[in-house]
Amino acid sequence: MSDAPNPVELQKALGGVDYPASVADLVSAAERNRADDSVLDALRGLPDQEYASPVEVNEAFSNEN
C-alpha cells in the first residue's frame, strides 16, 4: 500500500499515549494529534489487543503491511 504511513509518522501521531493502550486508545490519541487518514486507517487495522509500548505498535504495524 503506497499511502501507508511510515513508522515516524505513526509515532508522531501517538504522542502522549499512556501505555499499555488499546487500539481505541491509539486511534483517540491520533485523532487528538490531528493525524491524517492514512495513519488513522493504519491504526484501525491493527490487531485488537493491548500494546505495551510504541515498539509493539510499530511491530504490529510492520506485520500488517
Side-chain angles (χ1 to χ4, degrees):
M1 170 161 59
S2 62
D3 64 346
N6 67 48
V8 173
E9 292 171 317
L10 198 59
Q11 290 307 316
K12 183 178 176 184
L14 297 178
V17 170
D18 290 324
Y19 292 91
S22 67
V23 171
D25 295 332
L26 299 175
V27 170
S28 292
E31 289 172 340
R32 281 192 308 275
N33 290 327
R34 298 191 171 137
D36 65 27
D37 288 339
S38 67
V39 171
L40 293 170
D41 289 344
L43 291 171
R44 289 181 183 120
L46 293 176
D48 189 21
Q49 66 182 51
E50 290 283 312
Y51 293 90
S53 68
V55 171
E56 280 191 9
V57 175
N58 276 344
E59 288 172 354
F61 173 72
S62 295
N63 290 337
E64 293 295 310
N65 291 299

